[in-house]
Each structure stands twice: as C-alpha cells, then as structure tokens.
Amino acid sequence: MSGIKDRVAIIGMGCSKFGERWDVDSADLMVEAAYEAFADAGIESKDVQAAWLGTVSSFRTGQPLAAALKLDYIPISRLENACATATDAFRNACYAVAAGIYDIVLVMGVEKLKDSGFSGLAIAEAPGSDVAPPAPPPAQFAMAATRYFHHYDIPYDEGRQTLAEIAVKNHHNGTMSPKAHFQREVSVEQVINAPMIAWPLGLYDCCGVSDGAAAAIITTPEIARSFRDDYVLVKGLGLAVGAFGMLRNDWDFVHFPESVRASQACYQEAGITDPRKELDLAMVHDCFTITELIIYEDLGFSPRGKASEDVAAGTFSLEGELPVNTDGGLKCFGHPIGASGIRMIYEVYKQIQGKAGARQLAKADLGITHNLGGRPGSFTCSVAAFGARD
Amino acid sequence: MVGIAAYGAYVPRFRLGASTTGWNAGTERSVANFDEDSVTMAVAAGLDCLRGRDRQSVDGLIFATTTPPYAEKQCAAIIAEALDLRRDIFSADVTDVLRAGTNGLKAGLDSVAAGSAKQVLVIASDSRQGAPKGDTERNSGDGAAAFLVSQEDTIASLEGFYSITDNILDNWRSAQDPFVRSWEERFATEEGLERILGEALSGYFQQHGSAAGDVAKVALYAPDGRRHGQLARGLGFSAEQIQDSLYGRLGNTGAAFSLMLLIAALEQAEPGQLLLAVSYGDGSDVVGFRTTPDIKKLAPSMGVTGYLDSKLMLDDYETYAGWRNVWITDSAARRPTPASPSAAAIWREGDRNIRLYGASCDKCGYVQYPPQRVCVDCQARDESTPIRLSDRPGTVFTYSLDYIAGTTDIPLVIVAVDFEGGGRILCMMTDRALEEVAIDMPVEMSFRKLRVVNGIHNYYWKAIPKRSTL
C-alpha cells in the first residue's frame, strides 16, 4: 500500500456564507461555493472532468450539481456518510485523482437544512418499527457528557465550566470568520445559564444548524504546479465506521473508538507520530462541546481524562499550543451536514496559504480535519491531514 | 378442581389526590401515564402474575376491557407476545361492558373445566375516561388484574358462577364518544345496581345452597365509595365481610375493578374461606372461590397492595389533562410529523421489540440486544440463543434529559440500561420523578405505547424506576 500522502493537491476552494440562508436554495449555495473555487483555481466549469457531491438530506443524486453548474455530462457521484459525508466525498475523489483517472475533479458539499421549519435536524429515516427512542443528537451526546463527568469524578459545575470554555473559545474564533453563521462573543456565564437543550448540554453547547456549501478543486501535485505555487497537499485520509457501542456492556461512553481508529489511520499515512507537537491546527467535529472535549483525547491531543486541564490552560485557543477550530467550528461557523467537512478543509487550506485573515496562525504547515457522524456507539469518522508543499 | 393458581395486579405509579393542584377532591385515584393504556397495564399485571412461572405452560389468554386501543385488531395477541406466551394458544378479547372482567374469567374457567386448556391467563384492564372534573372522572381509577386459571395447584377453587343479563342504559359510550355517559343516578342505582345485584346474589346463594353469612369477603362492584357501602349493607353483608372498596386510593377500575378487589381479598385470605366477586354491567356476574391450603404457599406478587403502595402524586391536574388529550398543548419544538411505522417491520421484529429478546452467543456467551446474526464479540454467525430481557432487572449506565424532544413527558429521559447478566438497551425512561434519575439507579422494563401514527398503536419497552419490592 503506497497511501495517499503527497499524491493529491488542492488548487482551489470555495465556501458559501453559512447560516440561515432563507434567501437562497441549494443550487444557489453550490454556485456560490463552486465559482469561488473556480476563480481560486483559475479554471472554468468546463475544465472539471468529474465531480463528487456530498449531501445528506438535500437530494439523492448527482443531478442537482450538474443542473446548478451546467456541467457537461461528466460523471458525478453523490455520496452520503453521516456527518463525514463531505470528507468522504473528498476522499473518494482523491482516490480517483491518485489513480490517474482524472486530472481535475470538483468536490462539492452542500446542505439546505433550514427549510424544514424545525430548529433541529429533520432527516427522514427509512420505514421501520420506529421503536428507537426519539432522541435527537443533543440527547445522544448529552449521555456521553453525563457519563464523562461520572467516569472522571468531575463535579457537575466543574464539568459545565469546562464545556462552556470550549464554546467561548469557538465563539471567539467565529467573530473573525466573516462567513460564519454566528459571529459574536459569549461569556462562560452566558453558556452556563443558557436554557437546557438536553441536560447537561445547554443551548451554547450545541452547534448551529445551517445552510451552506463548500467546494474543492483537486488534481495531482504535478499538474498543481502549473496552476499555483501555494497548492496544498493531501497527507492522509482516515475513515473508520463502527456501529457496535450499544451492543457492548463494556463500552464506556467516554471515548469514541471510531475517532481513535480514523485518526490512527490518518496519522500513519501522513507520518504523524506526535499529533499534539506536530500539528499546527485541527478542525474537529464540535457538534457539541462534550464532543470536542472527548475528541481532544481520542485524537491524542490530551491524555485520557485530562482534556479539561488542557482546556483550562488554553491549549486549544488561537494563541495556544494546538489551535482547534480556528474558524469557529461547527459551533459558530455552522453545520450544514454535507458541507461541513469541506468547510473544515477550506479553513486548513486558507491557514496553510496564510490567507485566514484576523484568525491567521503564525505557523500553519500541517493541519487535520475530523468529522464524526452518527451518535455515541455508532459513528462514521473521517480524519484527513493536509500540509504545505515542500 | 378448577380454580386460580396465581394472581397478579397492576396499578400505575401516578395518582391524583389532595396534593394535586386543580384536582379539587380529597380522595386519591390512580391514573395511567400518557404512555399507558389497557394493553400495557394488562402486560404489567400479566408479568406480576407469571413471576417465576413457566410461560410455556399457558394455553390461552383472555383479555377483558372496555377501553381497547383497537376497534379492529386483537389486543390479546399483543399482550400474548409481550408476555412471551406460546404461539399455539387460544386468545380472545372480551369487551364493551364493565362486566367484561368476570365474563372473561368465566370463559377461562369454563375452558379449563371443559378440558380444552390446562392453564388460561385471564387479564382485565381498564382506563376509562369521564368528562373533565365530573363524577366519573373523579371516581374512576386505572389498573389491571390477572389470574392464572388452572386445573392444578389452585390457591382458590371455583365454587360457582351465577349471572344476570339485563339490557339497561345506565352507563354507555359510543365508539365516537371520548367520555363515558350516564343516565340519572337515582334510576341507575334503583333499577340498575340495587335490583340487579340483589337478584344476582340471591340467585347465586339459591343455586349453590349458601347464604350471605357464609362469605368471608365480598369483592363488590360499585360506582363510587358512598354507594359501595350502602349497597353492601343492603345486600346483607356485615362490615367485616365487605372487602375494602379502595375508593380514596385506587378508584373504579372498570372491567378490572371487582377482580382487583378479589385479589386484595386473596392477599389476606386464610385457607377454606369463601370469597365472592360481584361485577356489574348490563347485568351481573357473581363468582365464588374457596381458598385452599396452597394459598399460604403462593410465591409473592406485587398484587394490588404492593402496587398501591408504590406511588407518585401528580403536581397538577393539567398534566393529567394533557395526557388524556383534554388539554392540548403547543409543541414549541415543531418536530416533523412522524411517518407511519412499517407494519411489516413491526411484525418481523416482534421477538426483539415485543418479546424483548436479546441473544446470548453460543460460542462466547456475550449477551447482546437486539439479537445479532453476527456476534459483536467473536463474530460467530447464526450461533446464538434468544434470552428474554423484559423481566431482567437493570441499572442505568448513563442518561440525558431532553427538553426539546417534543414529547408529553418533558424532559424526556433517555437512558442506556445494562441488564443483569449482560445486554444493553438504549430506551426512554418513564414513570420517573426527575430527582430520582441517576447513574446506577435500579430499573425494570415496562411495556408502553410509544405513539399512535396512522391508527397504529406502536408498543415497545421503556425503563422505569424499580417498583418491585420482591
């Protein structure tokens, strides 16, 4: 196995404004993201030879992408894999480029969630016996928080404080992201005193549900050189799918094996041995504050049970040792499910190029994205690494 | 001798009472939770009756109620599956009259006496609804009674049965009526209760050569506490012969009422005593049992007394009114309307969802729920044995409290429960006081109605705080 490292390059990216986009539909969102990516890469839509489309609930086929961009009868695959949808679409596209099948490929992620009239996620399931508890994502992840506090003997107030500090950090980063859904600071007190959504998680412990699209143009490093000097290289692509947690009495609810395995696969491919030291930034799946806390441990940033100490020390802030969710994360940039993974790649790409504006890091040569889709006990997890060219 | 080999009962955990704001009555009554109905309470009473017994030896199930969730589709079939009874059994619903409980008991006793079955489970369960704050609502209660009728090992043998059938409109409810209707109380009392019960009891004594004085306890139907006392005395019984009506604690549980009083009598009975159950509704059934020495050897059940002692008071009447759709609340969450569950999936998943079977791997012994074709621990394929989890105690591994789930029961408690002996389930918790929910709390499983969509009453199991004291 030769792996994906340094075999695929990103030469252009685009990201729509995320948020409650009452004014546009999913086709508009795709046009917004795609034409920014085309301009960034210096290509036209007719140069695209194949496309992958990630979306969870907006549509079922590749046709809407062809229709929106008037692509010329090219192959388009539509892909869905929970919250890792966009990164998995990106991953599949990378393999087609690395295999030498196509030179210029478009990856698009899009989601139009706000037309449901419902504040949470309204995703239809296949017909079934419908006996599973009506537990939306906040209730599912809150169970991990309850257990985490219990497992590590963390008093409730202390646990809530730690989670609040994660939300405060991501809100702060979001103020520097013009395309983010939410762009305002919040205080620890505001987070702690907010209405409960699913105890012990309050309103500010939950990410935004948003409309948005993000796009990437990928090619081989050889071709990339003819487009730009500051292309970004794919260093690793890990994907782990598990669905066994609830079948096991010995699964502890305080670690997500899918995150552990996907990150290990990615690190191995990318040649990363000490992520906390080697990574310059990480964009992780902070659907809820507790998720980000557990991710710190699953991805090897913090020792087990010690993530709270790193949060208190500011390790993951913009100025910290390993900045996490520099653009505000799902919490503030928003979470149009099928677009989120590419939005994360967009941030790593911009940081590596030194184009991240007010939130630009001093050093950004190696970063990862992490998506976690499903619920505790049953996840699709993707971890992808990106680096500057040598 | 044909008789009763075992009994069980069920009373919901919630009560309306003096401390309930807006109830405006000093007396207490039991109320089914929003996710309970005559079927779920019947399952609970059946579980209480069958504790520690071989369910394979039950040859028939008769379900009696005036409040079946379906007008067409058998409820006994749902109950039989939830109780994990055999497939080759006779089953029947007996409905439409307050006398349905004793109607069903007679049918069960007759079939055992005739030799067509060795053991028949008879369950009466009711959750009748009166108009808000009216007499019927105030005097009603919700509950269920179960009897294992048998040819052998009886704790009370059948002495006799006597029935009157009388076509009378004193209480009635048409299919489209939400509430029970009644005619003038004086008519109902004089021409109904007093005349019919008198006729039934004197007929019974005449036929069986006995008299009121021979009776140790009479479990007598009456529509409220005041008339219960008047009726019993008028029928010639002394105070110590009258089984406590439980008005003020339970309420009139409809088709289950006289049978629940009979259970309360059996709980205290000595060998050799004559106990009468007297039901009422378009006539009356009088059934007499003589307790046997085995009554002292019967394994304990929660029974009427055990469940009556396990209770939570409702804080306000509006909560109850919301449960009964009398008080319609706005769902601020605006959750999408659920689609109809798939009848094919419900049928296919009966073992895992209704019988609550998990699977124990034959190779490595790992217990998993729901059952898996491929073992989660050793990957053995198609090598497992079903194990019933519905009557296994469990503990809460973790939980959350969902304030936006759009349920009647806010916050919705979602729990991961670890069963004793292995197996884990993610499910809802019901019948809880918020302050008692905690990691490691002991729970038991309770059969509940999740929701009604497309006219389909979708049943499944939920965790409840442990009620059993056995």
Side-chain angles (χ1 to χ4, degrees), chain B residues 107-431:
Chain B
L109 290 161
D110 283 349
S111 58
V112 170
S116 71
K118 284 194 175 129
Q119 289 199 329
V120 174
L121 187 60
V122 178
I123 310 179
S125 174
D126 238 344
S127 177
R128 293 161 75 236
Q129 203 172 338
K133 309 214 174 184
D135 284 346
T136 303
E137 183 188 76
R138 191 170 305 118
N139 291 313
S140 293
D142 299 326
F147 296 93
L148 187 62
V149 174
S150 173
Q151 189 72 251
E152 293 166 359
D153 302 323
T154 55
I155 56 140
S157 56
L158 176 68
E159 188 179 271
F161 226 106
Y162 190 85
S163 294
I164 295 290
T165 296
D166 186 319
N167 178 19
I168 183 169
L169 282 158
D170 52 354
N171 295 296
W172 68 97
R173 180 170 64 88
S174 288
Q176 65 272 25
D177 288 338
F179 308 123
V180 176
R181 298 174 190 265
S182 306
W183 202 254
E184 186 186 357
E185 184 186 314
R186 284 160 54 83
F187 163 73
T189 302
E190 290 169 20
E191 297 304 325
L193 279 167
E194 290 177 356
R195 186 173 56 78
I196 293 171
L197 293 184
E199 192 180 352
L201 273 165
S202 60
Y204 179 91
F205 290 135
Q206 194 174 355
Q207 188 174 73
H208 298 96
S210 52
D214 301 330
V215 176
K217 287 286 181 190
V218 58
L220 178 69
Y221 175 90
D224 56 55
R226 176 179 52 84
R227 279 185 281 182
H228 185 267
Q230 288 169 358
L231 265 173
R233 285 188 298 276
L235 293 166
F237 295 105
S238 65
E240 57 274 17
Q241 285 177 290
I242 304 166
Q243 178 61 38
D244 179 356
S245 70
L246 299 176
Y247 276 110
R249 296 179 67 198
L250 174 67
N252 175 5
T253 55
F257 188 39
S258 56
L259 296 180
M260 291 180 79
L261 298 185
L262 175 62
I263 288 172
L266 284 165
E267 287 169 0
Q268 301 293 324
E270 296 297 324
Q273 290 185 328
L274 176 62
L275 308 178
L276 290 189
V278 183
S279 67
Y280 177 77
D282 284 305
S284 170
D285 294 332
V286 180
V287 56
F289 291 101
R290 180 79 60 179
T291 53
T292 73
D294 282 353
I295 195 162
K296 288 291 172 196
K297 290 189 272 178
L298 182 65
S301 59
M302 281 290 281
V304 170
T305 308
Y307 276 120
L308 271 178
D309 289 344
S310 158
K311 65 176 181 180
L312 276 179
M313 299 307 299
L314 272 176
D315 289 338
D316 52 72
Y317 177 84
E318 282 83 356
T319 302
Y320 161 79
W323 291 351
R324 297 292 180 272
N325 284 323
V326 171
W327 180 282
I328 309 294
T329 51
D330 177 41
S331 170
R334 296 187 309 279
R335 289 201 75 79
T337 310
S340 171
S342 162
I346 291 173
W347 170 79
R348 185 168 65 233
E349 296 174 7
D351 277 0
R352 71 174 65 166
N353 294 345
I354 308 299
R355 289 182 197 267
L356 204 68
Y357 281 173
S360 172
C361 179
D362 294 339
K363 274 208 161 158
C364 72
Y366 209 93
V367 177
Q368 41 219 293
Y369 179 84
Q372 302 291 308
R373 292 282 303 273
V374 178
C375 172
V376 71
D377 203 51
C378 75
Q379 286 79 48
R381 180 170 69 97
D382 293 334
E383 291 182 83
S384 67
T385 305
I387 58 165
R388 186 176 64 226
L389 298 171
S390 61
D391 51 351
R392 290 203 175 196
T395 51
V396 170
F397 185 76
T398 188
Y399 67 97
S400 63
L401 313 175
D402 192 334
Y403 285 83
I404 56 160
T407 145
T408 311
D409 197 20
I410 295 171
L412 174 63
V413 183
I414 304 285
V415 288
V417 170
D418 284 346
F419 290 106
E420 198 176 287
R424 177 179 284 183
I425 187 172
L426 180 77
C427 63
M428 292 183 256
M429 177 180 277
T430 188
D431 284 8

Side-chain angles (χ1 to χ4, degrees), chain A residues 46-382:
Chain A
K46 66 176 169 51
D47 300 324
V48 175
Q49 296 163 355
W52 269 258
L53 171 63
T55 184
V56 169
S57 64
S58 299
F59 21 73
R60 300 274 177 207
T61 73
Q63 294 156 29
L65 179 62
L69 303 182
K70 312 300 179 295
L71 297 173
D72 188 25
Y73 298 94
I74 63 167
I76 303 174
S77 293
R78 181 268 190 191
L79 191 143
E80 171 179 356
N81 211 345
C83 290
T85 291
T87 324
D88 199 13
F90 182 86
R91 174 177 158 275
N92 279 270
C94 284
Y95 294 154
V97 168
I101 311 296
Y102 306 112
D103 291 336
I104 304 285
V105 169
L106 165 68
V107 191
M108 173 68 72
V110 63
E111 215 71 71
K112 180 72 188 159
L113 293 173
K114 295 303 302 181
D115 281 356
S116 72
F118 169 59
S119 306
L121 290 178
I123 295 171
E125 302 283 339
S129 55
D130 290 356
V131 297
Q140 301 268 2
F141 283 87
M143 296 176 78
T146 309
R147 191 67 201 183
Y148 190 95
F149 296 168
H150 177 87
H151 189 94
Y152 293 114
D153 204 18
I154 299 168
Y156 175 76
D157 291 343
E158 229 172 81
R160 288 278 295 151
Q161 169 85 21
T162 297
L163 297 183
E165 285 173 13
I166 293 172
V168 168
K169 166 187 73 81
N170 289 341
H171 267 272
H172 174 68
N173 296 351
T175 61
M176 288 173 270
S177 294
K179 290 179 176 179
H181 187 159
F182 302 109
Q183 301 176 37
R184 65 184 178 92
E185 304 274 359
V186 294
S187 67
V188 166
E189 293 68 37
Q190 270 177 289
V191 177
I192 288 175
N193 296 325
M196 274 295 156
I197 299 297
W199 184 97
L201 301 179
L203 181 64
Y204 290 104
D205 291 294
C206 307
C207 74
V209 173
S210 326
D211 301 326
I217 309 292
I218 60 172
T219 184
T220 64
E222 293 73 31
I223 297 170
R225 284 183 211 113
S226 64
F227 281 91
R228 64 192 308 155
D229 293 332
D230 58 350
Y231 59 84
V232 167
L233 289 165
V234 176
K235 296 289 184 182
L237 294 169
L239 186 78
V241 179
F244 329 115
M246 286 307 297
L247 295 173
R248 301 200 61 110
N249 292 85
D250 55 3
W251 177 57
D252 58 16
F253 264 88
V254 301
H255 83 291
F256 302 145
E258 296 88 348
S259 284
V260 175
R261 297 290 288 272
S263 61
Q264 284 171 351
C266 175
Y267 294 160
Q268 191 180 8
E269 209 171 32
I272 296 166
T273 53
D274 186 345
R276 178 160 173 157
K277 281 213 169 65
E278 294 170 47
L279 294 178
D280 297 318
L281 77 158
M283 305 297 298
V284 306
H285 201 82
D286 61 319
C287 50
F288 301 95
T289 50
I290 182 62
T291 325
E292 183 163 328
L293 188 73
I294 289 174
I295 290 166
Y296 294 151
E297 298 175 10
D298 286 341
L299 266 50
F301 302 167
S302 303
R304 290 275 167 218
K306 303 288 186 193
S308 306
E309 295 171 19
D310 284 330
V311 170
T315 305
F316 307 112
S317 68
L318 273 188
E319 302 75 27
E321 188 185 336
L322 172 50
V324 172
N325 290 336
T326 50
D327 65 356
L330 299 172
K331 175 75 206 72
C332 286
F333 210 103
H335 187 23
I337 302 173
S340 281
I342 299 177
R343 182 272 302 166
M344 291 180 180
I345 299 172
Y346 180 81
E347 172 66 4
V348 175
Y349 172 85
K350 291 292 183 189
Q351 287 280 358
I352 289 174
Q353 292 179 334
K355 295 176 180 172
R359 60 186 191 280
Q360 179 63 48
L361 302 172
K363 178 176 179 293
D365 294 329
L366 184 65
I368 59 164
T369 65
H370 161 275
N371 289 109
L372 192 59
R375 59 181 172 82
S378 182
F379 281 124
T380 299
C381 182
S382 63

